Amino acid sequence: MRYEPDRCRLKILYKQTGITQRMVHIITGIPESQLSDYANNRTYMGFGTAVTIAKALKLQNIEEIYTWRIIEES
């Protein structure tokens, strides 16, 4: 069994943490358009980007950035 990201939770996390997309952009240097693409599930972020964003949002666990789905292997 393995996991893969399902839906990005950035919009929810911005509300929960009080840290805006603009603030994440300022902290990380990641363009707001790219953050928007992640938040709207137009693209997935790589591991390094996920860690960077998780730290900017002060998350305890980077897994919080996405909901996850289980991939059953036959």
Side-chain angles (χ1 to χ4, degrees):
M1 164 174 54
R2 65 183 180 91
Y3 294 85
E4 70 178 30
D6 188 25
R7 303 289 298 168
C8 185
R9 298 183 65 244
L10 281 180
K11 290 180 183 179
I12 295 164
L13 294 168
Y14 293 150
K15 289 178 185 174
Q16 287 178 349
T17 63
I19 299 172
T20 65
Q21 179 174 289
R22 178 89 174 133
M23 292 166 74
V24 172
H25 158 69
I26 291 167
I27 293 166
T28 66
I30 298 169
E32 285 189 80
S33 60
Q34 188 173 351
L35 292 168
S36 177
D37 285 347
Y38 298 142
N40 290 294
N41 295 290
R42 288 187 286 264
T43 187
Y44 289 112
M45 62 188 85
F47 184 75
T49 300
V51 170
T52 301
I53 292 171
K55 298 237 181 238
L57 291 171
K58 300 176 183 168
L59 301 179
Q60 295 296 313
N61 191 330
I62 67 166
E63 291 176 9
E64 295 177 61
I65 291 178
Y66 283 98
T67 59
W68 296 87
R69 73 178 147 217
I70 297 172
I71 305 300
E72 298 292 333
E73 299 194 16
S74 49

